[in-house]
Amino acid sequence: MLAEIRRYKKIPRIDLSESTGISRATVTTITADLLKEGLIEEVRSETPEKDLRRGRPKVDLKIRGAAHHVVGIKIANKSLSTVLHDFEGIQIADHEVALEESVFEADALADEVSKAIEGLTSTAGLSAEEVSGVGVGIAGTVDALQGFVYWSPSLHQRNVELGQVLEDRLGVPVFLDNDANLVAVAERAFGLAKENSDFIVITIESGVGMGIVIGNELYRGNRGCGAELGHTKVQLDGALCRCGQRGCLEAYVADYALLREAGISGRHKSVSKVEDLLSAARDGDSVAKSIVDRAGRMFAMGLANIVNIFDPELIILSGEQMHSDHLYASEVIDAMRNSVVHIDKPGPEVVIHKWGDLMWARGAAAFALDEVSEIAITGHRENAQ
Amino acid sequence: MLAEIRRYKKIPRIDLSESTGISRATVTTITADLLKEGLIEEVRSETPEKDLRRGRPKVDLKIRGAAHHVVGIKIANKSLSTVLHDFEGIQIADHEVALEESVFEADALADEVSKAIEGLTSTAGLSAEEVSGVGVGIAGTVDALQGFVYWSPSLHQRNVELGQVLEDRLGVPVFLDNDANLVAVAERAFGLAKENSDFIVITIESGVGMGIVIGNELYRGNRGCGAELGHTKVQLDGALCRCGQRGCLEAYVADYALLREAGISGRHKSVSKVEDLLSAARDGDSVAKSIVDRAGRMFAMGLANIVNIFDPELIILSGEQMHSDHLYASEVIDAMRNSVVHIDKPGPEVVIHKWGDLMWARGAAAFALDEVSEIAITGHRENAQ
């Protein structure tokens, strides 16, 4: 209910009943409780006068922004991005911290996170105690319900109870998840999937990530390690991947894969940045073009496999790096469409969403908002951490 | 609630409250209605005397078998398998009909289905009017909620409202779905997934099918054409598939794919049955072995992609054909396990379920039971047909 009000920003009770499928009487009872607890508030409706006369209600409900504050944080390679949101979901402050290392002991990472949050809250003139929950996005394999990290490129150790470590340090509830999952949460909360209950988000950064939303819920798999699109195999005994296996999609489309190919060519042997290779391809260099084109065709194949499995209504190709244009190209989307099972009904909508680097952190904040709302209403958290 | 009672066969109210998470008071109210409508009945508990003294209830609830009868039917290549189940889910009769053709006009297919059901009900001494619903499984791409067949190897036309055609002919509600989806329903209802809310069923027959169950629900995709594992691509620009595209999993593991390879080899040029090729491989023939081994490795790759995407707790390799042993082999399962993302927690359980050819039809009956239960309780069907 809170999530629904938050999504609409302002909504009359009668529309809330319609959008949730809950009876008007029950909506009235529940919202009375939420009003009493100060989680929501009534505001004057902005419905035009003439509609009011036709029996439209005079007040809307909205989330009371000051009820809670949450922090969203993305642990990236050599940086921490943080955002502060009020309970309405409005972003109040953001703060970015550069890190000297990219791989940490859990305690040292907790120190950095704690410092970053202090920096953020002091920017906003808030004390750290006024934060009700912290959402954390991290690359790697994460069991979100347990706050458990099987492995992450940001941690020296495997099998770290990072959620607990952070919670002990910060003294507030911490909600941890894989970063691509949190982009899916962000797309649902304030991105391009506000109206979609089922969709797939694919992120292209140093790796290929995926978030799956089915029936309004993130699908996380049994151990929290599904949605590994980057390590689905596109070639039997294919190119070596950084994960140690062969033929993974990432081994054909990631930056390192393109540079590996460039290293073979006499002409591009000294290319050290993917941007340079892409620019050579755009300028018509045949070898560079061959390298970049194959990455696109392999990516189309990986995308097609997702469509053949999920038949989603919407796929969002979501990322902050502008230089992945070659993977978002219309030729790639067309190749994907040519590789899926054909029926006489159009396939999924594919949209490209390029955003600033705060999207990851905003997804973590949206996750924290959902979980803090759950705690505010039920008194306990959904996850078992 | 009915499905839960059906799954347990007999269950006291108190356990029903626990297994459904519905309060005891509500369970009492709901089951009182079900008793009044004659959908369930009370039977003497089989709980041992000593447990009864410890306050265990004296009566169990069970489905009243005579309340409804449903038919399940599988439209196969040149045959129709049908089963008759009572409302408890007990199989009362089965009936198989050979067909002279394998591809039909919708009306002609409806004739055959109608005749097969008459044969089935007369075997059981029932009139066709005593059937409350018919579940139908058919190969192809099906929008189950609409009873709409985009295409099927059993139909000359594409885009057929087969559910409606059958319903007009039979005069009872018809519930149509893709046959592999119905195997997943069967595994959940009376197979190896009775206790699993999330699992994947993979069927290997002339093609490779898949059924996805998430949160106790079949996942059917947006247009009803997801779960197309057989047409996920395992090789860029790979072997030609019967679907017209290249590199599909089926183009490497289906019978026709193995025979295509055999046709290249001088030694096996005249082999016309896969069984002969498999037997040659078992006898150590190196070419036959090379053909069969690659099929296994490609199948392992397709399976690994499913694990990397869904991280399921259970995969059931389900089929009636004994000759697909090479795809169920432990080397194949091991190869799959070596190709998934590794974390320090065991991967999915993989079980092999070989069954008689009535499994398809029983899945269709289980689907009909669920839908007839829905109608009995709510007065309308879930789907929009």
Side-chain angles (χ1 to χ4, degrees):
Chain A
M1 183 81 72
L2 284 174
E4 206 63 13
I5 300 174
R6 191 176 290 123
R7 188 153 48 235
Y8 284 97
K9 292 199 171 76
K10 295 178 185 180
I11 184 170
R13 286 180 179 80
I14 181 171
D15 292 0
L16 198 53
S17 163
E18 209 160 284
S19 80
T20 57
I22 299 171
S23 77
R24 288 193 206 179
T26 308
V27 164
T28 302
T29 312
I30 296 175
T31 53
D33 283 349
L34 297 177
L35 279 165
K36 216 170 80 187
E37 286 161 27
L39 298 173
I40 61 174
E41 58 192 2
E42 289 185 329
V43 290
R44 198 192 180 78
S45 170
E46 284 166 12
T47 312
E49 190 79 12
K50 64 178 169 56
D51 290 333
L52 281 179
R53 258 185 255 122
R54 292 213 306 267
R56 296 285 299 178
K58 290 196 183 59
V59 293
D60 287 346
L61 297 173
K62 69 182 275 292
I63 300 283
R64 200 173 68 86
H68 288 283
H69 289 91
V70 301
V71 168
I73 183 162
K74 151 80 173 179
I75 298 169
N77 182 26
K78 299 213 167 185
S79 73
L80 295 175
S81 312
T82 59
V83 292
L84 182 73
H85 283 226
D86 72 6
F87 201 48
E88 213 186 332
I90 291 173
Q91 186 177 318
I92 294 175
D94 67 85
H95 185 61
E96 183 132 5
V97 182
L99 300 175
E100 292 195 2
E101 322 265 324
S102 56
V103 194
F104 292 85
E105 301 291 328
D107 281 334
L109 185 59
D111 287 342
E112 298 291 348
V113 166
S114 177
K115 271 190 279 178
I117 293 178
E118 273 163 35
L120 173 75
T121 49
S122 73
T123 306
L126 228 67
S127 78
E129 287 70 44
E130 288 173 88
V131 172
S132 301
V134 175
V136 180
I138 190 168
T141 306
V142 178
D143 184 334
L145 294 185
Q146 307 290 336
F148 189 82
V149 180
Y150 286 103
W151 81 269
S152 166
S154 300
L155 288 170
H156 285 297
Q157 266 86 35
R158 291 173 79 96
N159 304 317
V160 176
E161 291 188 334
L162 186 64
Q164 194 60 57
V165 170
L166 289 172
E167 207 158 292
D168 291 346
R169 178 67 48 103
L170 302 173
V172 293
V174 170
F175 314 100
L176 186 72
D177 206 342
N178 167 275
D179 49 5
N181 278 350
L182 295 183
V183 173
V185 172
E187 293 289 2
R188 173 87 178 119
F190 45 73
L192 300 182
K194 275 187 192 167
E195 308 293 328
N196 300 84
S197 59
D198 300 74
F199 62 96
I200 306 273
V201 166
I202 292 168
T203 61
I204 309 168
E205 301 295 333
S206 58
V208 177
M210 175 160 75
I212 303 165
V213 174
I214 293 176
N216 282 320
E217 301 275 345
L218 260 182
Y219 177 79
R220 292 191 172 99
N222 179 41
R223 300 170 297 163
C225 70
E228 287 282 4
L229 175 60
H231 298 285
T232 59
K233 305 293 180 281
V234 291
Q235 172 99 36
L236 187 64
D237 297 334
L240 190 65
C241 179
R242 282 188 303 192
C243 76
Q245 298 183 7
R246 287 194 173 276
C248 299
L249 180 58
E250 279 189 11
Y252 294 93
V253 306
D255 288 359
Y256 80 86
L258 270 64
L259 293 175
R260 168 170 59 195
E261 295 243 290
I264 300 302
S265 144
R267 211 186 305 166
H268 301 286
K269 207 184 288 189
S270 57
V271 166
S272 64
K273 280 165 60 190
V274 165
E275 288 81 348
D276 296 340
L277 192 70
L278 294 174
S279 142
R282 273 191 300 270
D283 291 345
D285 178 279
S286 61
V287 174
K289 211 168 165 321
S290 159
I291 294 172
V292 173
D293 282 356
R294 191 180 70 162
R297 291 161 71 220
M298 283 294 196
F299 187 66
M301 178 175 162
L303 276 185
N305 287 350
I306 292 303
V307 174
N308 275 332
I309 287 167
F310 285 102
D311 182 28
E313 60 178 350
L314 173 66
I315 293 180
I316 305 175
L317 302 176
S318 190
E320 71 177 88
Q321 286 188 35
M322 298 301 283
H323 86 236
S324 294
D325 269 357
H326 60 296
L327 297 179
Y328 300 139
S330 62
E331 297 80 35
V332 172
I333 309 303
D334 289 346
M336 176 274 274
R337 293 198 186 279
N338 286 334
S339 301
V340 303
V341 170
H342 287 148
I343 60 170
D344 295 327
K345 197 176 177 184
E349 187 186 356
V350 179
V351 294
I352 295 159
H353 190 189
K354 292 179 182 169
W355 29 261
D357 56 3
L358 286 179
M359 184 74 163
W360 302 102
R362 292 181 70 198
F367 179 37
L369 273 178
D370 284 343
E371 298 291 320
V372 166
S373 299
E374 178 81 16
I375 294 174
I377 290 170
T378 67
H380 53 81
R381 62 198 296 171
E382 200 187 1
N383 57 11
Q385 187 176 301
Chain B
M1 183 81 73
L2 284 174
E4 206 64 13
I5 301 174
R6 192 176 289 122
R7 187 154 49 235
Y8 284 97
K9 292 201 171 75
K10 294 177 184 180
I11 184 170
R13 285 180 178 79
I14 182 172
D15 292 1
L16 198 54
S17 163
E18 209 160 284
S19 80
T20 57
I22 298 171
S23 77
R24 288 193 206 179
T26 308
V27 164
T28 302
T29 312
I30 295 175
T31 55
D33 283 347
L34 298 177
L35 279 165
K36 215 171 82 186
E37 286 162 26
L39 298 174
I40 60 174
E41 58 193 1
E42 289 184 328
V43 290
R44 198 190 180 78
S45 170
E46 283 165 12
T47 311
E49 190 80 11
K50 63 175 171 57
D51 289 335
L52 280 178
R53 257 184 256 122
R54 292 213 307 267
R56 295 286 299 175
K58 289 197 183 61
V59 293
D60 286 348
L61 296 174
K62 69 182 275 294
I63 300 284
R64 198 173 70 84
H68 289 283
H69 288 91
V70 299
V71 168
I73 183 162
K74 152 79 173 180
I75 298 169
N77 181 26
K78 298 213 168 184
S79 74
L80 295 176
S81 312
T82 59
V83 292
L84 183 72
H85 282 225
D86 72 6
F87 201 48
E88 213 187 331
I90 291 175
Q91 187 177 317
I92 294 175
D94 66 85
H95 184 64
E96 182 131 6
V97 182
L99 299 175
E100 293 194 3
E101 322 265 326
S102 56
V103 195
F104 292 85
E105 300 291 326
D107 281 334
L109 185 59
D111 288 341
E112 299 291 348
V113 166
S114 176
K115 272 189 279 177
I117 293 178
E118 274 164 33
L120 173 74
T121 49
S122 71
T123 307
L126 227 68
S127 78
E129 287 72 42
E130 288 173 86
V131 171
S132 300
V134 176
V136 181
I138 190 167
T141 306
V142 178
D143 184 333
L145 294 185
Q146 307 290 338
F148 189 83
V149 180
Y150 287 103
W151 80 270
S152 165
S154 300
L155 288 169
H156 285 297
Q157 266 86 33
R158 291 175 79 96
N159 305 316
V160 176
E161 290 188 334
L162 186 63
Q164 194 60 57
V165 171
L166 290 172
E167 207 159 289
D168 291 346
R169 178 69 46 105
L170 302 173
V172 294
V174 170
F175 313 101
L176 186 72
D177 206 342
N178 168 274
D179 50 5
N181 278 350
L182 294 184
V183 172
V185 172
E187 294 289 2
R188 172 87 179 123
F190 46 74
L192 301 182
K194 275 185 192 168
E195 308 293 328
N196 300 85
S197 60
D198 300 75
F199 62 95
I200 306 274
V201 166
I202 292 169
T203 63
I204 309 168
E205 302 294 333
S206 57
V208 178
M210 175 160 74
I212 303 165
V213 174
I214 294 176
N216 283 320
E217 301 275 344
L218 261 180
Y219 178 78
R220 292 192 173 99
N222 180 40
R223 300 169 299 164
C225 70
E228 289 281 4
L229 176 60
H231 299 285
T232 59
K233 305 293 182 280
V234 291
Q235 172 98 36
L236 188 64
D237 297 335
L240 190 64
C241 179
R242 283 189 303 193
C243 77
Q245 297 182 9
R246 287 193 174 277
C248 300
L249 180 57
E250 279 190 10
Y252 293 93
V253 306
D255 288 1
Y256 80 85
L258 271 64
L259 293 175
R260 169 171 57 196
E261 295 244 288
I264 300 303
S265 142
R267 212 186 303 168
H268 301 285
K269 206 183 288 191
S270 58
V271 166
S272 65
K273 279 164 60 189
V274 165
E275 285 83 346
D276 297 339
L277 192 70
L278 294 174
S279 144
R282 273 191 300 270
D283 293 344
D285 179 279
S286 61
V287 174
K289 213 165 162 319
S290 158
I291 294 172
V292 172
D293 283 355
R294 189 180 71 160
R297 292 162 69 220
M298 283 294 196
F299 188 64
M301 178 175 160
L303 277 185
N305 286 349
I306 293 303
V307 174
N308 274 333
I309 287 166
F310 285 101
D311 183 27
E313 59 178 350
L314 173 66
I315 294 181
I316 305 175
L317 301 176
S318 188
E320 70 176 89
Q321 287 188 34
M322 297 301 283
H323 86 235
S324 294
D325 268 357
H326 61 293
L327 297 179
Y328 300 138
S330 61
E331 296 80 34
V332 172
I333 310 301
D334 288 347
M336 175 274 273
R337 293 200 187 279
N338 287 333
S339 301
V340 303
V341 170
H342 288 149
I343 60 169
D344 295 327
K345 196 175 177 184
E349 187 185 357
V350 179
V351 294
I352 295 160
H353 189 190
K354 291 179 180 170
W355 30 260
D357 56 3
L358 286 178
M359 184 75 164
W360 301 102
R362 292 180 71 199
F367 180 38
L369 273 177
D370 283 343
E371 297 292 319
V372 166
S373 300
E374 178 81 16
I375 293 174
I377 290 169
T378 65
H380 53 81
R381 62 197 300 170
E382 200 186 358
N383 56 12
Q385 188 177 302

